[in-house]
Amino acid sequence: MDGEAPASPAEADEQKATERRRERRQKLMQVALDWSPVLAKLTTIVMQHLS
């Protein structure tokens, strides 16, 4: 369906919404990957403190 004109305005809106969800999911995954070492270290510190 890539490159084809949408059949209706509603279908175009659906495609735009799908693309926005995909972009948002990619951004969230990138943030999670960027912060995972920090969160892992923080978790280690908290666990050491609690034990």
Side-chain angles (χ1 to χ4, degrees):
M1 182 120 178
D2 291 320
E4 294 179 13
S8 68
E11 188 175 316
D13 290 344
E14 179 72 23
Q15 289 175 347
K16 288 177 186 176
T18 300
E19 183 62 28
R20 284 193 302 268
R21 283 192 296 271
R22 185 180 303 120
E23 289 174 0
R24 190 177 313 124
R25 191 176 315 118
Q26 288 174 345
K27 287 177 186 175
L28 286 173
M29 286 303 297
Q30 188 60 48
V31 168
L33 288 173
D34 290 347
W35 281 94
S36 62
V38 175
L39 294 175
K41 184 65 176 175
L42 183 60
T43 301
T44 302
I45 292 169
V46 169
M47 293 305 291
Q48 288 174 348
H49 180 72
L50 294 176
S51 63

